[in-house]
Amino acid sequence: MPSTETERACQLLRDAAPADPNATIEDVRAGFERFAAQHFVPGPDVTATDVDAGGRPALWLRTPGVSEDRTVLYLHGGGYAIGSARAYGDLASRIGRAAGARVLAPNYRLAPEHPFPAAVDDAVAAYRWLLVRGTHPEDIVIAGDSAGGGLTLATLVALRDHGDPLPAAGVCESPWVDMEVTGASMDSKAAVDPLANREVMQQMADAYLGGADPRSPLAAPLHADFAGLPSLLIQVGTRETLLDDALRVAERAQAAGVDITLQEFDGMPHVWQLFASFLPEANDAIQSIGAFIRDKTGRLRSGTVSRVAT
């Protein structure tokens, strides 16, 4: 049963939605940055260092005692249109702390000014930048939430298709993988999801695609071939309209022989991991991510599928 703090998280998600339907994208972005600065504050021992990573500004996030030999490439959410490395710095640094890893969080280009495939190109460039600097692929995990979860999968597919050495694993939190928003949970969870609905998701999809094919595998990884991808961890809440995105992509990855763990968190809303400052289930999810990253880095594995209800 969900903890009593769950409703507080859901209300904060409602509060994060733009109040003015006619607000410009610049106003929406600025509003979210203010919201994040108020509610998603990294711990005082987190160091954030600005860096140019493959041509895009990024943050190195470190907590005391993390290994420089274990790296998370973190791709933030925000529907490909809002968000930043700094706004998601608390979540990214908590994952790094749990994993004992440093975190590189790039500010990939945002839509509608920079539509697909700009975000994919920037994520690939950041990964290659890590390799050029001497980071071993088996010591890297790519992770992301929401749109960043879909971007994580797209980046893995793009790297495979380009012949790049693949990272040890990928982590997807509440991933958005369907640009046509066809999942049945878009309707079945509409009354309980405090943030995402079909209309909003379709608007974001149109802005990101910029006229591209909504079934392009790198825009909508639901339609990608997952053969040969590294181990994946997918987390999703059962209160999400994007629940079926996670379930369907997990099924496709499993069918392609990918070593995958799917964790469903009862009663949790979209990207509940953001609320780790007070939500027990968020901390549970982050600790699970950390354990997964620790287990997978330093060696590539293939194996069976496990499914965990949490």
Side-chain angles (χ1 to χ4, degrees), residues 4 8 10 24 53 57-58 69-70 106 112 118-119 181 202 205 219 227 232 244 258 286 301 307:
T4 56
R8 179 183 172 191
C10 289
T24 66
D69 295 326
R70 180 181 286 124
V181 291
Q202 190 61 67
L232 295 175
D244 277 349
V258 176
I286 289 170
R301 293 182 176 183
R307 181 182 179 117

PDB file of all heavy atoms in Angstrom, residues 4 8 10 24 53 57-58 69-70 106 112 118-119 181 202 205 219 227 232 244 258 286 301 307:
ATOM      1  N   THR A   4       1.673   7.314   3.169  1.00  0.00           N
ATOM      2  CA  THR A   4       0.814   8.492   3.318  1.00  0.00           C
ATOM      3  C   THR A   4       1.407   9.721   2.633  1.00  0.00           C
ATOM      4  O   THR A   4       0.683  10.675   2.322  1.00  0.00           O
ATOM      5  CB  THR A   4       0.588   8.798   4.804  1.00  0.00           C
ATOM      6  OG1 THR A   4       1.870   8.967   5.450  1.00  0.00           O
ATOM      7  CG2 THR A   4      -0.160   7.655   5.479  1.00  0.00           C
ATOM      8  N   ARG A   8       1.083  13.894  -1.042  1.00  0.00           N
ATOM      9  CA  ARG A   8       1.867  15.132  -1.080  1.00  0.00           C
ATOM     10  C   ARG A   8       2.653  15.214  -2.384  1.00  0.00           C
ATOM     11  O   ARG A   8       2.710  16.285  -3.020  1.00  0.00           O
ATOM     12  CB  ARG A   8       2.815  15.192   0.122  1.00  0.00           C
ATOM     13  CG  ARG A   8       3.691  16.434   0.146  1.00  0.00           C
ATOM     14  CD  ARG A   8       4.660  16.402   1.314  1.00  0.00           C
ATOM     15  NE  ARG A   8       5.619  17.492   1.250  1.00  0.00           N
ATOM     16  CZ  ARG A   8       6.700  17.575   2.016  1.00  0.00           C
ATOM     17  NH1 ARG A   8       6.938  16.636   2.929  1.00  0.00           N
ATOM     18  NH2 ARG A   8       7.545  18.586   1.884  1.00  0.00           N
ATOM     19  N   CYS A  10       1.862  13.773  -5.215  1.00  0.00           N
ATOM     20  CA  CYS A  10       0.901  13.989  -6.298  1.00  0.00           C
ATOM     21  C   CYS A  10       0.470  15.449  -6.374  1.00  0.00           C
ATOM     22  O   CYS A  10       0.324  16.016  -7.471  1.00  0.00           O
ATOM     23  CB  CYS A  10      -0.309  13.080  -6.119  1.00  0.00           C
ATOM     24  SG  CYS A  10       0.027  11.330  -6.417  1.00  0.00           S
ATOM     25  N   THR A  24       4.070  31.038 -22.776  1.00  0.00           N
ATOM     26  CA  THR A  24       5.077  30.702 -23.775  1.00  0.00           C
ATOM     27  C   THR A  24       5.967  29.583 -23.249  1.00  0.00           C
ATOM     28  O   THR A  24       6.028  29.326 -22.040  1.00  0.00           O
ATOM     29  CB  THR A  24       5.949  31.918 -24.105  1.00  0.00           C
ATOM     30  OG1 THR A  24       6.711  32.267 -22.934  1.00  0.00           O
ATOM     31  CG2 THR A  24       5.085  33.103 -24.538  1.00  0.00           C
ATOM     32  N   ALA A  53      30.461  19.006 -22.622  1.00  0.00           N
ATOM     33  CA  ALA A  53      30.500  17.572 -22.894  1.00  0.00           C
ATOM     34  C   ALA A  53      30.039  17.301 -24.323  1.00  0.00           C
ATOM     35  O   ALA A  53      28.846  17.269 -24.604  1.00  0.00           O
ATOM     36  CB  ALA A  53      29.626  16.808 -21.904  1.00  0.00           C
ATOM     37  N   PRO A  57      26.641  22.156 -22.886  1.00  0.00           N
ATOM     38  CA  PRO A  57      26.916  22.359 -21.459  1.00  0.00           C
ATOM     39  C   PRO A  57      26.356  21.203 -20.640  1.00  0.00           C
ATOM     40  O   PRO A  57      25.302  20.652 -20.954  1.00  0.00           O
ATOM     41  CB  PRO A  57      26.188  23.672 -21.144  1.00  0.00           C
ATOM     42  CG  PRO A  57      25.146  23.806 -22.212  1.00  0.00           C
ATOM     43  CD  PRO A  57      25.728  23.168 -23.435  1.00  0.00           C
ATOM     44  N   ALA A  58      27.085  20.846 -19.613  1.00  0.00           N
ATOM     45  CA  ALA A  58      26.692  19.715 -18.771  1.00  0.00           C
ATOM     46  C   ALA A  58      27.190  19.967 -17.358  1.00  0.00           C
ATOM     47  O   ALA A  58      27.963  20.894 -17.096  1.00  0.00           O
ATOM     48  CB  ALA A  58      27.266  18.411 -19.320  1.00  0.00           C
ATOM     49  N   ASP A  69      35.720   5.747 -11.274  1.00  0.00           N
ATOM     50  CA  ASP A  69      35.736   4.675 -12.266  1.00  0.00           C
ATOM     51  C   ASP A  69      34.335   4.138 -12.570  1.00  0.00           C
ATOM     52  O   ASP A  69      34.191   3.174 -13.327  1.00  0.00           O
ATOM     53  CB  ASP A  69      36.612   3.517 -11.784  1.00  0.00           C
ATOM     54  CG  ASP A  69      38.069   3.922 -11.666  1.00  0.00           C
ATOM     55  OD1 ASP A  69      38.519   4.749 -12.477  1.00  0.00           O
ATOM     56  OD2 ASP A  69      38.744   3.431 -10.755  1.00  0.00           O
ATOM     57  N   ARG A  70      33.317   4.736 -11.974  1.00  0.00           N
ATOM     58  CA  ARG A  70      31.937   4.333 -12.248  1.00  0.00           C
ATOM     59  C   ARG A  70      31.163   5.605 -12.599  1.00  0.00           C
ATOM     60  O   ARG A  70      31.129   6.547 -11.816  1.00  0.00           O
ATOM     61  CB  ARG A  70      31.330   3.634 -11.029  1.00  0.00           C
ATOM     62  CG  ARG A  70      29.889   3.183 -11.246  1.00  0.00           C
ATOM     63  CD  ARG A  70      29.339   2.513  -9.985  1.00  0.00           C
ATOM     64  NE  ARG A  70      29.893   1.181  -9.782  1.00  0.00           N
ATOM     65  CZ  ARG A  70      30.530   0.774  -8.702  1.00  0.00           C
ATOM     66  NH1 ARG A  70      30.701   1.601  -7.687  1.00  0.00           N
ATOM     67  NH2 ARG A  70      30.975  -0.461  -8.595  1.00  0.00           N
ATOM     68  N   PRO A 106      24.030  16.068 -19.069  1.00  0.00           N
ATOM     69  CA  PRO A 106      24.110  17.066 -20.140  1.00  0.00           C
ATOM     70  C   PRO A 106      22.816  17.848 -20.306  1.00  0.00           C
ATOM     71  O   PRO A 106      21.722  17.343 -20.024  1.00  0.00           O
ATOM     72  CB  PRO A 106      24.382  16.209 -21.386  1.00  0.00           C
ATOM     73  CG  PRO A 106      23.736  14.895 -21.069  1.00  0.00           C
ATOM     74  CD  PRO A 106      23.885  14.706 -19.582  1.00  0.00           C
ATOM     75  N   PRO A 112      10.552  23.107 -28.915  1.00  0.00           N
ATOM     76  CA  PRO A 112      10.444  22.936 -30.369  1.00  0.00           C
ATOM     77  C   PRO A 112      11.561  23.589 -31.165  1.00  0.00           C
ATOM     78  O   PRO A 112      11.655  23.363 -32.373  1.00  0.00           O
ATOM     79  CB  PRO A 112       9.111  23.614 -30.686  1.00  0.00           C
ATOM     80  CG  PRO A 112       9.019  24.708 -29.663  1.00  0.00           C
ATOM     81  CD  PRO A 112       9.612  24.146 -28.415  1.00  0.00           C
ATOM     82  N   ALA A 118      17.725  16.085 -32.375  1.00  0.00           N
ATOM     83  CA  ALA A 118      18.735  16.859 -31.656  1.00  0.00           C
ATOM     84  C   ALA A 118      19.081  16.246 -30.300  1.00  0.00           C
ATOM     85  O   ALA A 118      20.262  16.132 -29.945  1.00  0.00           O
ATOM     86  CB  ALA A 118      18.252  18.298 -31.478  1.00  0.00           C
ATOM     87  N   ALA A 119      18.068  15.852 -29.532  1.00  0.00           N
ATOM     88  CA  ALA A 119      18.330  15.294 -28.201  1.00  0.00           C
ATOM     89  C   ALA A 119      19.145  14.003 -28.290  1.00  0.00           C
ATOM     90  O   ALA A 119      20.064  13.775 -27.493  1.00  0.00           O
ATOM     91  CB  ALA A 119      17.008  15.034 -27.479  1.00  0.00           C
ATOM     92  N   VAL A 181       1.058   8.151 -28.290  1.00  0.00           N
ATOM     93  CA  VAL A 181       0.330   8.013 -27.015  1.00  0.00           C
ATOM     94  C   VAL A 181      -0.842   7.039 -27.119  1.00  0.00           C
ATOM     95  O   VAL A 181      -1.982   7.364 -26.836  1.00  0.00           O
ATOM     96  CB  VAL A 181      -0.127   9.387 -26.463  1.00  0.00           C
ATOM     97  CG1 VAL A 181       1.069  10.193 -26.021  1.00  0.00           C
ATOM     98  CG2 VAL A 181      -0.944  10.195 -27.463  1.00  0.00           C
ATOM     99  N   GLN A 202       0.432  14.473 -26.349  1.00  0.00           N
ATOM    100  CA  GLN A 202       0.390  14.612 -27.797  1.00  0.00           C
ATOM    101  C   GLN A 202       0.982  15.949 -28.237  1.00  0.00           C
ATOM    102  O   GLN A 202       1.692  16.022 -29.253  1.00  0.00           O
ATOM    103  CB  GLN A 202      -1.042  14.480 -28.302  1.00  0.00           C
ATOM    104  CG  GLN A 202      -1.149  14.376 -29.826  1.00  0.00           C
ATOM    105  CD  GLN A 202      -0.425  13.146 -30.365  1.00  0.00           C
ATOM    106  OE1 GLN A 202      -0.843  12.018 -30.105  1.00  0.00           O
ATOM    107  NE2 GLN A 202       0.656  13.355 -31.106  1.00  0.00           N
ATOM    108  N   ALA A 205       4.672  15.571 -27.984  1.00  0.00           N
ATOM    109  CA  ALA A 205       5.158  14.709 -29.059  1.00  0.00           C
ATOM    110  C   ALA A 205       5.249  15.477 -30.375  1.00  0.00           C
ATOM    111  O   ALA A 205       6.244  15.382 -31.098  1.00  0.00           O
ATOM    112  CB  ALA A 205       4.244  13.498 -29.210  1.00  0.00           C
ATOM    113  N   ALA A 219      12.932   8.184 -32.091  1.00  0.00           N
ATOM    114  CA  ALA A 219      12.013   9.118 -31.437  1.00  0.00           C
ATOM    115  C   ALA A 219      11.060   8.387 -30.519  1.00  0.00           C
ATOM    116  O   ALA A 219      10.734   8.866 -29.430  1.00  0.00           O
ATOM    117  CB  ALA A 219      11.228   9.905 -32.491  1.00  0.00           C
ATOM    118  N   ALA A 227      17.575  -5.845 -30.001  1.00  0.00           N
ATOM    119  CA  ALA A 227      18.561  -6.923 -30.027  1.00  0.00           C
ATOM    120  C   ALA A 227      19.967  -6.376 -29.774  1.00  0.00           C
ATOM    121  O   ALA A 227      20.390  -5.395 -30.378  1.00  0.00           O
ATOM    122  CB  ALA A 227      18.513  -7.645 -31.371  1.00  0.00           C
ATOM    123  N   LEU A 232      18.914  -3.837 -18.827  1.00  0.00           N
ATOM    124  CA  LEU A 232      18.038  -2.698 -18.572  1.00  0.00           C
ATOM    125  C   LEU A 232      17.309  -2.873 -17.248  1.00  0.00           C
ATOM    126  O   LEU A 232      16.891  -3.979 -16.896  1.00  0.00           O
ATOM    127  CB  LEU A 232      16.991  -2.569 -19.681  1.00  0.00           C
ATOM    128  CG  LEU A 232      17.471  -2.236 -21.092  1.00  0.00           C
ATOM    129  CD1 LEU A 232      16.287  -2.288 -22.059  1.00  0.00           C
ATOM    130  CD2 LEU A 232      18.144  -0.869 -21.131  1.00  0.00           C
ATOM    131  N   ASP A 244       1.699   1.793 -19.481  1.00  0.00           N
ATOM    132  CA  ASP A 244       1.787   0.864 -20.601  1.00  0.00           C
ATOM    133  C   ASP A 244       2.998   1.121 -21.483  1.00  0.00           C
ATOM    134  O   ASP A 244       3.458   0.211 -22.189  1.00  0.00           O
ATOM    135  CB  ASP A 244       0.510   0.910 -21.439  1.00  0.00           C
ATOM    136  CG  ASP A 244      -0.599   0.043 -20.848  1.00  0.00           C
ATOM    137  OD1 ASP A 244      -0.311  -0.734 -19.926  1.00  0.00           O
ATOM    138  OD2 ASP A 244      -1.756   0.153 -21.308  1.00  0.00           O
ATOM    139  N   VAL A 258      16.999  -9.273 -24.303  1.00  0.00           N
ATOM    140  CA  VAL A 258      17.716  -8.365 -23.412  1.00  0.00           C
ATOM    141  C   VAL A 258      17.517  -8.806 -21.962  1.00  0.00           C
ATOM    142  O   VAL A 258      16.420  -9.213 -21.563  1.00  0.00           O
ATOM    143  CB  VAL A 258      17.204  -6.923 -23.601  1.00  0.00           C
ATOM    144  CG1 VAL A 258      17.867  -5.970 -22.606  1.00  0.00           C
ATOM    145  CG2 VAL A 258      17.456  -6.453 -25.031  1.00  0.00           C
ATOM    146  N   ILE A 286      15.395   4.577  -5.690  1.00  0.00           N
ATOM    147  CA  ILE A 286      16.761   5.041  -5.944  1.00  0.00           C
ATOM    148  C   ILE A 286      17.789   4.048  -5.414  1.00  0.00           C
ATOM    149  O   ILE A 286      18.810   3.785  -6.067  1.00  0.00           O
ATOM    150  CB  ILE A 286      16.954   6.439  -5.328  1.00  0.00           C
ATOM    151  CG1 ILE A 286      16.167   7.474  -6.150  1.00  0.00           C
ATOM    152  CG2 ILE A 286      18.428   6.816  -5.267  1.00  0.00           C
ATOM    153  CD1 ILE A 286      16.086   8.842  -5.516  1.00  0.00           C
ATOM    154  N   ARG A 301      26.864  -8.334 -18.931  1.00  0.00           N
ATOM    155  CA  ARG A 301      26.207  -9.605 -18.682  1.00  0.00           C
ATOM    156  C   ARG A 301      25.044  -9.788 -19.638  1.00  0.00           C
ATOM    157  O   ARG A 301      24.480  -8.846 -20.159  1.00  0.00           O
ATOM    158  CB  ARG A 301      25.642  -9.658 -17.260  1.00  0.00           C
ATOM    159  CG  ARG A 301      26.692  -9.672 -16.168  1.00  0.00           C
ATOM    160  CD  ARG A 301      26.006  -9.777 -14.834  1.00  0.00           C
ATOM    161  NE  ARG A 301      26.971  -9.895 -13.750  1.00  0.00           N
ATOM    162  CZ  ARG A 301      26.609 -10.054 -12.496  1.00  0.00           C
ATOM    163  NH1 ARG A 301      25.348 -10.101 -12.157  1.00  0.00           N
ATOM    164  NH2 ARG A 301      27.520 -10.169 -11.557  1.00  0.00           N
ATOM    165  N   ARG A 307      11.024  -9.951 -13.143  1.00  0.00           N
ATOM    166  CA  ARG A 307       9.965  -8.941 -12.990  1.00  0.00           C
ATOM    167  C   ARG A 307       9.681  -8.801 -11.504  1.00  0.00           C
ATOM    168  O   ARG A 307       9.444  -9.802 -10.824  1.00  0.00           O
ATOM    169  CB  ARG A 307       8.710  -9.380 -13.745  1.00  0.00           C
ATOM    170  CG  ARG A 307       7.550  -8.377 -13.668  1.00  0.00           C
ATOM    171  CD  ARG A 307       6.354  -8.936 -14.408  1.00  0.00           C
ATOM    172  NE  ARG A 307       5.217  -8.045 -14.340  1.00  0.00           N
ATOM    173  CZ  ARG A 307       4.668  -7.473 -15.383  1.00  0.00           C
ATOM    174  NH1 ARG A 307       5.148  -7.693 -16.573  1.00  0.00           N
ATOM    175  NH2 ARG A 307       3.613  -6.695 -15.247  1.00  0.00           N
TER     176      ARG A 307
END
